[in-house]
């Protein structure tokens, strides 16, 4: 359904299509980017202390387990996630270590409500992945849902069916169905044409309760028509979820890649307006860039549903008791640690309550779930006074407004969604910079 469609609900009843009300001027978006870059540089600096152990769980808190699989058959030029070129022997040994680290986490007393597996390409060895999920579910009986990522290449492999019944939500990195964009991003030869990807997803849909289609906007040459065609093709697949990420180019990404791939910054608001107009009505908005058929499903930004999460595997992050923990990015060190009975963690950084409140405010803006009650219950503060500057500026630009039905709830407007998208984009770019810095000292023997 295109954004120009009129929805007919009952005889004679017409609903006007969604009209996104984004009025924030480009200069304000640029200044917000600079403000976010300041906070990201300040709070994501690698002034960490060494660490060798995770803390024990706190009674009454709910936790999510993150597992990282850092292998890909091919390395995409615009991706800054932690990954290595796939070698089967190393990957099989790694999955064994991942399961051993989970046992160490269990020994600390943790249980988890949810598990998220990211990469890299999580499905490089489907048999090992299936074994690891089965192991996690036995070890942590409270796990109710497992989310996993994959790329189009693996959807029709014989082993992919092993994940049926184990994975509740499969997120597929499509990026675009447009062959020119796929060629520009070196994905056409690796993963096939947009139509081939469409056909593979259609065939794999029956395997999982939730399929999520990941799209990216902000590529050079990605016209309104190209974006609309991407959205229309995704809608024809009728997945339970669609995620529309803005292209994230970091300081660490090669300048040649930036010049080659990214559209002008000024295109973002117009393209985002088009996405909102096209998907709202078909889907509920779960966050600034995620859309779902149901409001209560987990999605890629698990940090919204879980304040606390623990990461296993090389290059994973954990956030526990206002402290960020970082696992070693060296594959060699990770294997040595696990073999000697130690966990993969090697660094930690503690954050002040103010830092954490600003982070939760960002997540509230991004998810459209900004609540005075949450800040009162979690931090014991009045949100309007504790984050006076942030609240005042967001109200002034019409990004948030009071909910007339519930004084504890704040409504995040379309301007607010645009700001939330921009802020989260800068935050993730900052995390990408951190990952790039942690990978920089790695030598061939570490990979």
């Amino acid at each position: 359904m295109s954004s120009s469609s009129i929805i007919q609900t009952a005889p004679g009843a017409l609903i006007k299509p969604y009209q996104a009300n984004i009025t924030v001027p480009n200069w304000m978006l640029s200044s917000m980017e600079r403000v976010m870059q300041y906070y990201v540089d300040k709070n994501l600096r690698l002034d960490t202390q060494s660490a060798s152990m995770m803390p024990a769980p706190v009674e009454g808190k709910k936790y999510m387990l993150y597992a990282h699989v850092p292998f890909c058959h091919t390395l995409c030029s615009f991706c800054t996630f932690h990954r290595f070129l796939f070698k089967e022997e190393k990957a099989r040994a790694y999955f064994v270590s991942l399961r051993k680290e989970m046992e160490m986490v269990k020994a600390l007393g943790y249980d988890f409500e949810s598990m998220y597996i990211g990469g890299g390409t999580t499905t490089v060895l489907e048999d090992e992945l299936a074994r690891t999920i089965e192991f996690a579910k036995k070890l942590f009986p409270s796990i109710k849902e497992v989310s996993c990522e994959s790329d189009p290449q693996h959807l029709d492999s014989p082993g992919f069916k092993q994940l049926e019944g184990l994975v509740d939500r499969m997120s597929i990195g499509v990026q675009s169905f447009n062959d020119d964009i796929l060629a520009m991003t070196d994905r056409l030869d690796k993963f096939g044409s947009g139509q081939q990807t469409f056909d593979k997803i259609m065939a794999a849909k029956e395997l999982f309760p939730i399929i999520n289609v990941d799209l990216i906007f902000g590529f050079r040459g990605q016209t309104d028509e190209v974006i609309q065609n991407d959205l229309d093709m995704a809608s024809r697949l009728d997945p339970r979820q669609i995620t529309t990420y803005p292209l994230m180019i970091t300081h660490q990404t090669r300048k040649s890649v930036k010049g080659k791939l990214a559209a002008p910054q000024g295109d973002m608001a117009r393209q985002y307006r088009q996405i909102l107009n096209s998907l709202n009505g078909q889907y509920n908005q779960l966050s600034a860039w995620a859309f779902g058929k149901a409001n209560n499903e987990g999605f890629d930004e698990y940090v919204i549903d879980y304040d606390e999460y623990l990461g296993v595997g090389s290059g994973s992050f954990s956030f526990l008791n206002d402290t960020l923990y970082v696992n070693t990015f060296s594959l060699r060190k990770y294997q040595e640690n696990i073999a000697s009975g130690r966990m993969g963690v090697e660094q930690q950084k503690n954050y002040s309550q103010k830092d954490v409140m600003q982070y939760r405010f960002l997540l509230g803006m991004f998810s459209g779930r900004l609540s005075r009650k949450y800040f009162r219950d979690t931090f014991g503060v009045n949100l309007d006074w504790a984050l006076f500057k942030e609240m005042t500026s967001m109200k002034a630009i019409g990004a948030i407004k009071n909910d007339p039905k519930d004084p504890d709830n704040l409504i995040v407007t379309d301007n607010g969604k645009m700001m939330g998208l921009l802020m989260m984009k800068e935050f993730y770019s900052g995390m990408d910079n951190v990952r790039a810095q942690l990978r920089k000292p790695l030598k061939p023997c570490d990979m």
Side-chain angles (χ1 to χ4, degrees):
M1 178 172 67
S2 74
S3 57
S4 60
S5 306
I6 297 286
I7 306 159
Q8 190 124 16
T9 52
L14 291 177
I15 296 174
K16 284 187 179 176
Y18 192 86
Q19 290 293 315
N21 186 26
I22 299 173
T23 57
V24 188
N26 276 336
W27 67 265
M28 202 175 278
L29 296 176
S30 298
S31 62
M32 173 52 75
E33 267 192 333
R34 286 194 294 276
V35 169
M36 271 304 294
Q37 281 165 8
Y38 165 78
Y39 280 110
V40 163
D41 290 345
K42 173 173 157 287
N43 288 323
L44 292 180
R45 266 207 312 261
L46 281 177
D47 48 351
T48 53
Q49 299 171 294
S50 65
S52 58
M53 182 60 79
M54 296 288 187
V58 175
E59 189 72 36
K61 282 191 177 178
K62 62 174 190 168
Y63 296 95
M64 193 213 67
L65 175 65
Y66 175 82
H68 194 73
V69 180
F71 299 100
C72 287
H73 288 289
T74 51
L75 306 181
C76 295
S77 56
F78 61 87
C79 177
T80 51
F81 284 107
H82 176 52
R83 73 271 192 268
F84 304 106
L85 266 177
F86 172 73
K87 292 187 176 71
E88 184 170 344
E89 190 183 343
K90 279 189 176 180
R92 289 201 181 277
Y94 178 84
F95 273 104
V96 172
S97 295
L98 203 56
R99 296 192 284 271
K100 282 184 184 166
E101 191 175 21
M102 285 180 193
E103 287 182 308
M104 296 179 207
V105 170
K106 174 73 174 179
L108 286 172
Y110 280 91
D111 200 357
F112 300 96
E113 293 190 356
S114 177
M115 181 181 187
Y116 192 99
I117 305 151
T121 306
T122 64
T123 47
V124 283
L125 290 170
E126 289 103 338
D127 59 333
E128 290 287 358
L129 179 61
R131 202 170 293 136
T132 302
I133 296 170
E134 285 168 345
F135 186 77
K137 284 184 167 183
K138 278 192 192 129
L139 211 52
F140 307 110
S142 297
I143 290 177
K144 297 190 290 284
E145 57 179 11
V146 176
S147 286
C148 194
E149 300 168 359
S150 186
D151 61 43
Q153 185 178 11
H154 294 86
L155 296 181
D156 57 355
S157 73
F160 201 70
K161 288 188 170 55
Q162 292 179 54
L163 301 174
E164 186 177 7
L166 292 174
V167 173
D168 303 288
R169 179 182 172 281
M170 182 61 75
S171 187
I172 299 156
V174 173
Q175 319 322 10
S176 177
F177 291 103
N178 180 273
D179 290 350
D180 291 336
I181 294 203
L182 293 175
M184 182 176 77
T185 54
D186 302 326
R187 290 175 68 88
L188 189 62
D189 291 340
K190 295 172 191 173
F191 303 135
S193 69
Q195 186 60 52
Q196 286 170 316
T197 295
F198 180 95
D199 295 340
K200 284 181 184 179
I201 296 173
M202 193 60 92
K205 258 180 72 175
E206 64 191 33
L207 298 177
F208 309 104
I210 300 173
I211 284 275
N212 172 64
V213 171
D214 272 350
L215 299 173
I216 290 180
F217 68 98
F219 285 117
R220 184 174 60 79
Q222 200 174 21
T223 62
D224 294 355
E225 290 74 28
V226 169
I227 287 177
Q228 194 58 54
N229 188 59
D230 278 348
L231 294 170
D232 289 344
M233 283 188 79
S235 296
R236 279 210 301 282
L237 283 167
D238 195 34
R240 282 271 289 274
Q241 295 178 0
I242 296 175
T243 305
T244 55
Y245 294 101
L247 179 66
M248 298 178 205
I249 300 287
T250 70
H251 307 313
Q252 307 289 334
T253 309
R254 294 194 315 276
K255 284 180 182 173
S256 58
V257 171
K258 184 171 182 176
K260 182 180 157 195
L261 295 181
Q265 182 68 17
D267 288 356
M268 190 186 296
R270 191 190 76 253
Q271 292 176 339
Y272 185 53
R273 188 181 291 112
Q274 181 183 0
I275 288 164
L276 291 183
N277 289 344
S278 195
L279 293 180
N280 275 305
Q282 298 178 76
Y283 288 88
N284 300 308
Q285 199 157 359
L286 304 176
S287 76
W289 58 50
F291 301 82
K293 292 284 177 82
N295 273 321
N296 57 349
E297 294 175 343
F299 52 106
D300 280 350
E301 277 60 59
Y302 53 81
V303 292
I304 288 163
D305 288 328
Y306 292 90
D307 285 357
E308 309 253 322
Y309 52 91
L310 188 149
V312 292
S314 169
S316 67
F317 294 91
S318 307
F319 197 77
L320 304 162
N321 307 336
D322 297 348
T323 302
L324 181 72
Y325 293 88
V326 184
N327 275 23
T328 177
F329 273 54
S330 161
L331 207 52
R332 174 183 56 82
K333 272 194 203 163
Y334 178 74
Q335 295 289 46
E336 286 171 2
N337 271 15
I338 304 302
S340 62
R342 298 195 310 276
M343 299 186 80
V345 64
E346 68 172 11
Q347 297 180 54
Q348 68 179 63
K349 177 172 177 168
N350 190 258
Y351 287 94
S352 70
Q353 179 170 299
K354 181 73 180 278
D355 294 333
V356 178
M357 285 195 299
Q358 287 174 329
Y359 172 59
R360 301 290 176 217
F361 182 82
L362 154 67
L363 293 181
M365 289 290 301
F366 173 73
S367 64
R369 302 184 202 170
L370 199 54
S371 153
R372 291 183 172 98
K373 184 179 186 303
Y374 171 83
F375 279 81
R376 205 165 52 239
D377 293 350
T378 308
F379 303 106
V381 300
N382 177 318
L383 171 60
D384 295 77
W385 290 112
L387 294 178
F388 180 78
K389 194 169 58 177
E390 291 83 352
M391 287 289 286
T392 306
S393 61
M394 286 299 149
K395 280 181 178 173
I397 61 174
I400 54 175
K401 60 185 182 183
N402 291 324
D403 186 341
K405 296 176 192 163
D406 178 2
D408 271 340
N409 190 43
L410 288 147
I411 294 169
V412 179
T413 66
D414 287 346
N415 275 343
K417 291 173 189 173
M418 182 72 228
M419 285 298 185
L421 176 133
L422 200 66
M423 291 193 292
M424 201 66 170
K425 172 178 170 281
E426 288 307 313
F427 174 77
Y428 276 154
S429 293
M431 288 300 290
D432 282 348
N433 289 332
V434 168
R435 275 191 284 264
Q437 287 172 49
L438 288 162
R439 285 178 62 84
K440 201 172 181 182
L442 297 185
K443 299 178 172 64
C445 66
D446 292 308
M447 298 185 189

